[in-house]
Amino acid sequence: FKDFGAERSHLQNFVFPELMERLQERMHHLEPIDLRWGIETKSVAEDNAKEMLILKVCCSEIKRSQPFLIALVGDRYGWIPPLERVKQAALEINYKGDIENKSITALEIEYGVLNDKNQKKRSRFYFREALPYAEMPPEVAAIYSDEYSKEENAANAIDQHKKLKNRIQGTKESPELVGRWRTYKADWDATNNKVTGLDEFGKMVLEY
């Protein structure tokens, strides 16, 4: 969740409170759900069990938040767990989609949106434009972009990420997704190594 910490905080601190006020006027209640919350794995000793728990909790929270989902997409595909572990988790949550060579982020998006025709119409995707990676320290750029990653599967992650973005942006096979996404530009604070300038992004989420 490191690459979108700023956006998640902006939503929580500014966008959701405003949305809550608007909904209260209509006698509705908003309960924001952020997948970075509530996944405690310190008491889990084995990596296998931790990975299973993370995937199951995330998918459970996705189902709980339906029918309204917001997905943030940058330039990282995300962590790709071992296939056998994903198979076990997919079996437990009754997920029957393609799981091979998929990141946790991709699986969450497919589970929550792409494999559900009705959910496609209720979800929103926000693509952050590329940050000035070349101006960042290499280790910082790697947090935000697979292009700067030194991991062995970086090339595969870049390819898979492009395919995922193409699916989200809609095709003839998924017309429900056309127009369900927006792009936004964020600023970069080089002194503090963090994303800033998210007011327009916040307004976009609030009004769209």
Side-chain angles (χ1 to χ4, degrees):
F1 301 115
K2 292 181 180 179
D3 55 336
F4 276 102
E7 280 88 345
R8 291 172 183 272
S9 294
H10 190 84
L11 291 174
Q12 183 63 28
N13 296 331
F14 300 102
V15 178
F16 293 154
E18 171 66 22
L19 187 55
M20 286 178 184
E21 289 186 11
R22 296 186 184 187
L23 289 173
Q24 285 175 354
E25 294 175 358
R26 302 182 181 184
M27 304 301 291
H28 289 288
H29 173 70
L30 173 68
E31 181 187 355
I33 297 174
D34 190 325
L35 292 187
R36 66 179 170 172
W37 299 338
I39 306 178
E40 179 57 64
T41 62
K42 290 182 180 179
S43 61
V44 181
E46 298 181 5
D47 288 343
N48 183 10
K50 287 184 180 181
E51 292 165 3
M52 290 274 289
L53 178 61
I54 289 171
L55 181 56
K56 287 190 292 183
V57 170
C58 286
C59 289
S60 174
E61 290 295 89
I62 285 171
K63 294 300 288 186
R64 190 164 72 92
S65 68
Q66 288 178 340
F68 304 111
L69 298 174
I70 294 174
L72 308 178
V73 182
D75 291 312
R76 285 210 62 189
Y77 185 57
W79 163 54
I80 303 176
L83 180 58
E84 288 304 315
R85 297 178 187 177
V86 178
K87 285 182 178 179
Q88 294 176 40
L91 183 63
E92 291 196 28
I93 63 175
N94 195 32
Y95 176 69
K96 300 179 180 179
D98 180 21
I99 60 175
E100 187 169 0
N101 206 27
K102 298 291 181 65
S103 70
I104 290 293
T105 301
L107 289 170
E108 290 167 352
I109 290 174
E110 293 190 9
Y111 177 75
V113 181
L114 300 184
N115 290 328
D116 186 331
K117 184 176 181 179
N118 291 324
Q119 194 59 46
K120 293 176 183 178
K121 299 176 181 179
R122 301 186 180 100
S123 303
R124 298 291 185 270
F125 293 88
Y126 297 92
F127 293 85
R128 183 176 59 207
E129 295 181 13
L131 297 169
Y133 304 123
E135 301 173 13
M136 301 178 186
E139 67 276 9
V140 175
I143 295 174
Y144 294 91
S145 173
D146 287 323
E147 294 279 357
Y148 291 82
S149 173
K150 294 183 179 180
E151 297 179 5
E152 293 182 1
N153 65 344
N156 172 65
I158 293 170
D159 181 61
Q160 289 290 87
H161 187 53
K162 289 179 180 178
K163 291 178 181 179
L164 178 63
K165 290 177 71 174
N166 288 338
R167 286 194 64 191
I168 293 170
Q169 290 173 342
T171 64
K172 293 180 180 179
E173 289 75 26
S174 297
E176 302 89 355
L177 286 173
V178 175
R180 303 296 173 186
W181 55 274
R182 296 286 188 273
T183 62
Y184 70 94
K185 180 178 176 58
D187 296 328
W188 177 253
D189 180 349
T191 302
N192 298 298
N193 283 332
K194 66 178 184 179
V195 173
T196 60
L198 294 171
D199 288 346
E200 290 304 315
F201 160 74
K203 291 178 183 178
M204 185 183 297
V205 175
L206 187 61
E207 302 300 338
Y208 177 44

